[in-house]
Amino acid sequence: MVEKLPVPFHTQLCSSSILKPKLPFKTLVSHNLSKFISMSSEPQNPPMEQQQQHEEQEEGSTQSKKAAKKEAAKLEKLRRREEKSASGAFAADTPDSLAANYGDVPLEDLQSKAVSGRKWIEIANLNEELKDQNVLIRGRAHAIRSVSKKMAFLVVRERGFTVQCVLSVAPDVVSLQMVKFATGLSKESYVDVEGTISVPKDPIIGASQQQVEIQVKKLYCISKAVPALPINIEDAARGEIEIEKALQAGKQLVRVNQDTRLNFRVLDLRTPANQGIFRVQCQVENIFRQFLLADGFVGIHTPKLIGGSSEGGSAVFKLDYKGQPACLAQSPQLHKQLAICGDFGRVFEIGPVFRAEDSYTHRHLCEFTGLDVEMEIKEHYSEVMDIVDRLFVAMFDSLNEKCQKELEAIGKQYPFEPLKYLRKTLRLTFQEGVQMLKEAGVEIDPLGDLNTESERKLGQLVLEKYGTEFYILHRYPLAVRPFYTMPCSGDPAYSNSFDVFIRGEEIISGGQRVHVPEFLATRAEACGIDVKTISTYIDSFGYGAPLHGGFGVGLERAVMLFCALNNIRKTSLFPRDPLRIAP
Amino acid sequence: MVEKLPVPFHTQLCSSSILKPKLPFKTLVSHNLSKFISMSSEPQNPPMEQQQQHEEQEEGSTQSKKAAKKEAAKLEKLRRREEKSASGAFAADTPDSLAANYGDVPLEDLQSKAVSGRKWIEIANLNEELKDQNVLIRGRAHAIRSVSKKMAFLVVRERGFTVQCVLSVAPDVVSLQMVKFATGLSKESYVDVEGTISVPKDPIIGASQQQVEIQVKKLYCISKAVPALPINIEDAARGEIEIEKALQAGKQLVRVNQDTRLNFRVLDLRTPANQGIFRVQCQVENIFRQFLLADGFVGIHTPKLIGGSSEGGSAVFKLDYKGQPACLAQSPQLHKQLAICGDFGRVFEIGPVFRAEDSYTHRHLCEFTGLDVEMEIKEHYSEVMDIVDRLFVAMFDSLNEKCQKELEAIGKQYPFEPLKYLRKTLRLTFQEGVQMLKEAGVEIDPLGDLNTESERKLGQLVLEKYGTEFYILHRYPLAVRPFYTMPCSGDPAYSNSFDVFIRGEEIISGGQRVHVPEFLATRAEACGIDVKTISTYIDSFGYGAPLHGGFGVGLERAVMLFCALNNIRKTSLFPRDPLRIAP
C-alpha cells in the first residue's frame, strides 16, 4: 500500500533544504572537513547558526577556519604518503592469485542473487568460546591501522560493538595486495570479514570485544563510504568530559556542533549515545503502551488533518485540503475527547503533534511525538493523577532496569545523574508551590502562571525539601488553562488541572474537562473564543458525556529530561524547528 | 506540554465542516430525526452523498423523508401522552420526601468536589454471586420502558454490557416522582444507579447480564443527552442479516447510512461492532509492535513535515513551513531508510501517512495509519518476506485467539467468514501469477501491473488451488515499482519486490532497496526523476549503506480485510477522504 506510488515519492524529498550546506554527491566526496565541523566561535551560516549559537555555545570551539583547512590538508598529505609507502617497494598492485579472497563485491552480487545459506555471527556475540572457529561477520570499517605493508588492523563495528581484525601476510591466505585493499578501505564502509577467532594475550583496548581477535582470511567491501566523511564518528561520539579535560590541559579536541550533527544525522546517529537515546525513547513508548493496555486503555489514532481555517493564531500549520481550508492538529485533544464520548472508556494515542510556534528554545519543536491519554473519571481528577503517578514510576523503574546499557552509553558522552523520584509521586497544589517560592523570596502572581525560571526554582526547592525531581503541581489558576478545563467546585478561580515536572521542567499537562455542553460554551466565550467555530466539539457532549479527564506528554521531552540532556533536538530523530525542516 | 496552549486550540476545531449538515447545539436538540437518517434511496446531500452512494448503495433504504417525519411526529405524540399519564392521577409533581434519592446531579458536584470513597462496579461484572448485595453502577440510559406509573424498567449500558434496572414504587424507597424521573430520562444520558441485585426467575432477554436485575434505590443523572438523537444506537447497531430478513418479510427497518454514521461518529462508535473494530485495530498494532520488538526492531518516529515543494504530483498535501515550501509525508520511506543508514539495524514505525489523491474507492483514505518496517538484509529480499510471513501468521493467530468477543460483535452486525491462511505463507512469483491468470483466460501484460480486477481474480484462483486467502506475490516487473526498488540480479526487467494480498486485495508492499548511490541516481533518472531534487536522499547512501529492504502496511486496510468489511471508512476512527475532513 505504502509503496505503490513511485511518481509522487520524490516530491517528499526536499530539494535544497535537507542538506545545509547543500552539496551535490560528487562535491561532497571531496569536500573539505572544515566546512562542516565548526572550529570557530563565529557563526558560519547565519541565521541558522546564529540562532543555535545562543543555545549551543558550549558546543562551539575556537580554532579558526583557516587552521582547520591547514589541518585537513596536512592529513591528506599524510594519507597519500602512507598509501605510497604501502604500495612502494613491494608489488602490491600486481596480479594476485588470492584475488578471490578480497575486493569490492560487484553490484549484481548484491541484488538478492541467491540465498547462500551462509551464517553471519553478530559482533556482540564474539567471545573466547569461539576460539579457533571460523566466523563470518558484517559491519562497518570503524578504524583502520596499517602497521607495515605486511600487516594491518581493521576494527569492525556492528551496532556499537567492535572487534579487531588482523590482516597478516601469509602464503595462500593473505597477500600484500589484500593488506593494501584493507588499508585502502574508507571508514564507515560496509564489509564482510571471514576469519578465525584467536585469543590474544592481552585484552584489546580499542574494541568492545576485548578477549578475541579475528585472523582475517577473506575481506569484501559491500558498500563504500566516501573517503572524506563530513563527520568523523569518533569526533561525534567524544564525551563531554574528555573534551573538557583536554581543554584544561591546553588541548583542543574536535567537538561536532549540534547543527552539523543534524545536517549529517545519518552519521551522527551512529554514535553509541544516539543509539542509546533512541532505544530509550522506544522503551519509554513501550512502557507507556504496555502499562495503559494492562489498565484497560485502548490505543487509538485520531486524524492530524483538521478542517477549518486558522483564525486564532500563527501557531498552526495551515494547508489546503481539496479546496477546503484545513490545518494540522496541534494536539489530539478534540478527537481523544470524542473517543471518550464514543464510549471507549479509556484511550491513549501516540502520534505526531504539530506546533508552528516561533520557539527557539532548547525544549520546543515544531513537530514532536505526543503521548496522549483520555479517560472517564468517576468523580475526581485525582483519578487521572493516579494514572500519571503509577505510569511514570513504572516507566522510570523499567528504564533503569532494562536500559542500563543504553543509559550508560548516553552518560558516557553526556554525563548525568539518575533521576530522583519517590515511590509515591509528590503532589503539591499550585498554592503550596506559590507559598514555597514566596518563602524562598520569589514573588509570583498567585493567579498567574509559572514562568520557566520559577518552575526551575520550584524544582530546586522541591528537591531540597522532598528529595524528588519528579512531582505533580495541581489546582492551577483557571485563567492560565485552556477553556475546556473544569473549574474547581466552589472555587472558580482555580481549576481541576495539573502539570508534572521532571528536573524543574514541565513535561505533562492534564486535568478534568468540561463535559456539559452549555457550560463549555460559556467557558469558551469567557476565553474569547467564537463558539460558532467550535460548535461540533461542543455539540458532541450533548449526546450524553462521561465525566472525563486526561493528559499529554511530549515523548522527546520526557527522554531529554530523564537523561538530563540539554537540548530536545538530541531526542528527536530528525528534528523540526522554525529553522529546520531537513533532513 | 500538550495542553499549554489555550488560544490556538480552538483553531483546530473546524468551523463549518465538522458537522454535516451543520447545526448549532440548540437546533440539534429539537431537530427531527428524519434529516439524519437516510430513509430515502435518493441522495440527500450532494455531492458527498452522491459520491458515497456509489459505494454505499447497500446501506440506503427506501422509506421516504415524509414518512420519516410522520413517524417521528407520532413517536413524539406518544411520548407526551405517556408523560401525561405518568403524572396523571397521582401527584408525581408534588414535593417528595425521597427527593434526595434521584435527580439531576448539579454541575458543582461534578467538578471533582470530593473523593467520596464510593465504589462503582462494572456492569460486565454483575452476576448472581452478588445477589442481595447493594451495588453502584454508572452507564448510559440505553432503553427506558414505563410499565405503569408505579413501575419502570431502565436498561443501563456500559461499554457494550447492559443490565436491567427495576424501579418499583415502595414506601421510603421509590416514589412516584422517582419513577417519573426515570421514564423522563433521554436515551444515552449518563446515570448513576444504586440498588440491590436480585435474581429473576427467567433470564432477562434484553440485557447482556441476563441472570440479574437491579432493584433501584437511587438514580442520578450525571449528563443529559439531547432528547432527539440524530442516530438511534439500536438502528446503528442493527445487523445486516436482520435488515435483510425483515426486507424479505416486507418489513422495512432503519439502516443508518455510512455518511450519517460518520457525521455523528460519536454516537456511531457506541455500537458493539464499532467497539469491536477499534479494539481489534489496537490489537493488530500491539502484535505488530510486540513481534518486531522481540525480533530486535527499534520503534522510531520520523517527521511528517518534509521540506521541498511538490513538483511531481497532486497527491501531496502542500503547506507553508515558516516561509519555506513543505509537504506532508506520503510515507516514511525516506526517513526509515535513513534510520537504517544510521545503524539502527531494524526499525519500524506506526504513524499517519498522507495521500492527497482523488480516490473515492472503498479502500483509499487521504490519511491513514502506516505500519512500516525497514531492515538490514544479509543477501536476499526473502529475509524481508520471512518477517512478513511470521509476523502476519502470528497476528492472525493472536486476533483469532484474543479478540474472539470483538470479532463476534463485528460479525453479528457484518457477517464474515474467518480468514483462511496457511501456517507457512504461500509465495508465488509475479510470473507464476500471470500464468495462473492466463490459464484462467485472463490475459495481462507480463511486464505491467495487476489491476484491482485481476488481483481479485488471482485471489480466487489462489484460494481454489492453495486454500489460502493470504499470500505473497514477488518479483514484480521493475517498471511498475518505485525507482528505489532493487532490480533482480541478471534480470533487470524484474525487481526484488513483493506485494501481499488478503482476500484478493493488496495490503502490503515491499522489497529490497537500491543502496548504491550512483546506481540509485541512475534508477531515478530512468524513472524521469530530477536527481537534483533528491540529492540528499541519494547522498545518504554514500556514507556506507547496508543492504536493506522493508515493507509498509495500511492498518485500516489490514483490519478491514481481516474482518471482510466492505469499506475502509469502517476501520478509521475519524476517516478523511477527498470529501470528508470532519468531524
Side-chain angles (χ1 to χ4, degrees), chain A residues 190-394:
Chain A
Y190 243 71
V191 292
D192 267 352
V193 177
E194 211 182 304
T196 310
I197 292 286
S198 66
V199 177
K201 257 197 327 222
D202 302 315
I204 313 291
I205 295 160
S208 70
Q209 308 311 99
Q210 305 201 335
Q211 308 309 321
V212 292
E213 282 181 329
I214 297 178
Q215 303 298 327
V216 180
K217 292 178 183 166
K218 291 180 180 173
L219 172 65
Y220 304 103
C221 181
I222 299 292
S223 166
K224 277 191 218 183
V226 295
L229 293 170
I231 296 178
N232 194 324
I233 303 297
E234 218 179 330
D235 294 335
R238 188 164 288 129
E240 294 293 313
I241 287 175
E242 188 192 342
I243 297 173
E244 291 309 318
K245 274 191 184 158
L247 261 183
Q248 283 161 17
K251 207 179 139 198
Q252 177 104 28
L253 296 176
V254 174
R255 176 186 258 159
V256 186
N257 81 8
Q258 182 89 289
D259 253 3
T260 307
R261 290 179 185 275
L262 296 181
N263 288 339
F264 303 99
R265 192 62 159 163
V266 160
L267 284 160
D268 183 41
L269 288 173
R270 297 176 191 171
T271 64
N274 276 336
Q275 291 285 317
I277 284 170
F278 293 98
R279 284 181 165 81
V280 166
Q281 189 179 84
C282 176
Q283 182 63 4
V284 167
E285 187 175 336
N286 290 343
I287 304 162
F288 182 83
R289 281 184 67 89
Q290 283 165 15
F291 179 94
L292 293 173
L293 287 168
D295 240 40
F297 284 77
V298 182
I300 58 169
H301 293 281
T302 66
K304 304 308 155 204
L305 290 166
I306 307 291
S309 62
S310 157
E311 295 147 39
S314 62
V316 177
F317 288 109
K318 300 173 206 177
L319 64 128
D320 173 81
Y321 187 90
K322 303 279 161 191
Q324 291 185 58
C327 53
L328 294 178
Q330 286 181 299
S331 93
Q333 185 66 31
L334 162 66
H335 289 94
K336 68 177 181 172
Q337 285 190 264
L338 295 189
I340 294 302
C341 292
D343 278 2
F344 285 101
R346 313 180 121 193
V347 298
F348 69 89
E349 178 167 16
I350 298 171
V353 166
F354 305 93
R355 303 270 167 97
E357 288 169 280
D358 286 320
S359 294
Y360 301 94
T361 76
H362 73 284
R363 64 190 199 128
H364 287 93
L365 290 172
C366 288
E367 179 179 348
F368 63 88
T369 305
L371 307 179
D372 269 89
V373 164
E374 200 70 23
M375 58 189 269
E376 288 189 25
I377 58 175
K378 289 300 182 198
E379 50 181 9
H380 202 281
Y381 69 98
S382 61
E383 295 162 42
V384 183
M385 296 196 293
D386 291 343
I387 295 284
V388 170
D389 180 359
R390 290 193 295 119
L391 167 56
F392 278 81
V393 170

Side-chain angles (χ1 to χ4, degrees), chain A residues 14-17 581, chain B residues 305-311 318-327:
Chain A
C14 54
S15 45
S16 65
S17 50
I581 190 175
Chain B
L305 290 165
I306 308 292
S309 63
S310 158
E311 295 147 38
K318 300 173 205 176
L319 62 128
D320 174 78
Y321 188 89
K322 303 278 162 196
Q324 290 185 59
C327 54

Side-chain angles (χ1 to χ4, degrees), chain A residues 98-112:
Chain A
L98 297 174
N101 291 353
Y102 61 93
D104 294 328
V105 180
L107 178 59
E108 62 169 82
D109 288 352
L110 301 173
Q111 293 178 269
S112 302

